[in-house]
Amino acid sequence: AEYSVISPLEAMARNRELPMTSLDFEIDVKKTSWIPKHVEEIAEHVSKALQCEMTFEELDVIGTDHIEKVDIREDSDIPKFVAIKCKTRFEEKVIKFTLPERAVPKEFWPKKTKILVKGNLFAKFFGECEVSTRHVEFSLKLYDCGHFYMKQALPGSGASPYWVIFEGIWEMTERGLALEYLFRYAWQIAKTTKFTPEFVLEAVPKNHRSRLAWCGEIPEQQLNGSVPAIVGEDAFCWIEICREPDVIQKEKARFNEEDDDVQTKPEEPAARRRPASGPPGATTQQEKTAAPERESTTSEGSKDE
């Protein structure tokens, strides 16, 4: 059999003839620890996540455990959904609906297109940490419109790295950054046209926030703190990330124009690999030596471009 590398959305478009802008949003009531009392709360939740006002009437909402489903049309349908007895070992119950086309950028493409970002790149940070028993690469991009784009990657996870993308709102604080996460999605390139995995944007818990603090000897060049974990049992993990050189041309930093594919990266200096469980603010002699070298670098490209 012949195989070709295509994306899940392309597979969906080919086999199901769906437009690429037809995207589902999913609220896992267990992961988010949230069950709405009124149907209008569902629209409020997704409106905040996508920064786009939506009404419940334009959402075709169902509740399901991936086997049995309940159409949610009014408040009285919510208890019926909650009463579903899960028939899978994962015990997942999700509220799911298709987003209006106006809620996402036209021709949205995972890991290529930012949904919330409408400004210019302000700063970019990169780091590698051990989380639980896995090696995870972190990339954080801040935009002058007040939104951020965080990418976590698990190298060597199949035909391509396994990525989890977070988007949300950031603001500068006296000691560093405050991040509020609004939604996430997972992404990995499929290996065969016969495989059509389901792609959804996922809700995160309400008030899902964390803070990163400046560290190191050079001002505003290193950050450490907690971010959501994509592996292990803990909800958050400790990371330390370094600012990348500002070499991206202004016209390339605009909304949806930068190429965000991550190819195989060269081996990173040991100073940039830090355990996720390391003590806050700890700076080794090796880090002190590496910091001036990063400051003087002006010609290297982005690590995740």
Side-chain angles (χ1 to χ4, degrees), residues 59-297:
L59 306 175
D60 186 17
V61 180
I62 65 168
T64 180
D65 65 347
H66 302 296
I67 296 179
E68 184 179 349
K69 76 173 184 177
V70 173
D71 291 328
I72 300 178
R73 298 288 180 266
E74 54 189 23
D75 293 351
S76 61
D77 294 324
I78 297 176
K80 299 176 186 177
F81 159 64
V82 175
I84 293 177
K85 293 184 178 180
C86 293
K87 300 174 182 62
T88 65
R89 63 186 180 90
F90 301 107
E91 297 186 353
E92 290 184 344
K93 286 185 181 181
V94 300
I95 296 171
K96 188 174 180 180
F97 46 88
T98 298
L99 293 167
E101 290 189 9
R102 61 183 175 81
V104 294
K106 188 177 181 180
E107 298 181 355
F108 169 78
W109 198 263
K111 209 179 72 64
K112 292 278 192 180
T113 312
K114 283 72 174 173
I115 292 179
L116 301 181
V117 174
K118 293 177 174 64
N120 295 325
L121 184 65
F122 175 74
K124 181 166 64 172
F125 298 82
F126 178 83
E128 300 181 20
C129 298
E130 297 297 323
V131 181
S132 185
T133 59
R134 299 295 302 273
H135 176 72
V136 184
E137 298 174 354
F138 296 85
S139 172
L140 173 63
K141 296 179 181 180
L142 308 177
Y143 293 85
D144 60 11
C145 58
H147 294 106
F148 72 82
Y149 177 88
M150 176 184 290
K151 180 169 56 188
Q152 299 188 29
L154 296 176
S157 301
S160 73
Y162 174 79
W163 293 283
V164 176
I165 310 298
F166 294 86
E167 290 196 42
I169 302 169
W170 73 277
E171 64 178 1
M172 196 79 73
T173 66
E174 183 179 352
R175 296 185 177 182
L177 303 176
L179 306 177
E180 181 177 4
Y181 307 87
L182 297 181
F183 67 87
R184 56 169 275 172
Y185 65 83
W187 173 253
Q188 187 170 30
I189 296 175
K191 223 179 181 182
T192 170
T193 58
K194 296 180 181 180
F195 180 50
T196 57
E198 187 176 88
F199 176 82
V200 295
L201 302 181
E202 303 170 38
V204 297
K206 283 190 172 183
N207 301 317
H208 203 44
R209 300 185 176 101
S210 70
R211 289 179 178 265
L212 299 174
W214 299 117
C215 62
E217 295 183 347
I218 303 176
E220 300 188 2
Q221 293 299 307
Q222 291 177 261
L223 287 165
N224 64 19
S226 297
V227 300
I230 65 171
V231 293
E233 298 182 357
D234 295 330
F236 288 84
C237 61
W238 184 268
I239 68 167
E240 190 163 321
I241 51 180
C242 302
R243 186 166 185 168
E244 293 292 318
D246 298 327
V247 298
I248 300 177
Q249 296 178 3
K250 184 176 181 181
E251 61 270 18
K252 289 295 184 181
R254 293 187 179 276
F255 179 49
N256 296 337
E257 289 184 359
E258 60 180 309
D259 183 359
D260 202 31
D261 274 334
V262 176
Q263 305 297 332
T264 302
K265 290 191 286 289
E267 186 70 10
E268 294 295 325
R272 298 186 65 175
R273 294 191 175 183
R274 303 175 177 84
S277 57
T283 306
T284 64
Q285 183 61 38
Q286 191 175 18
E287 292 171 339
K288 295 178 182 179
T289 303
E293 295 177 354
R294 286 192 300 273
E295 179 69 15
S296 62
T297 301

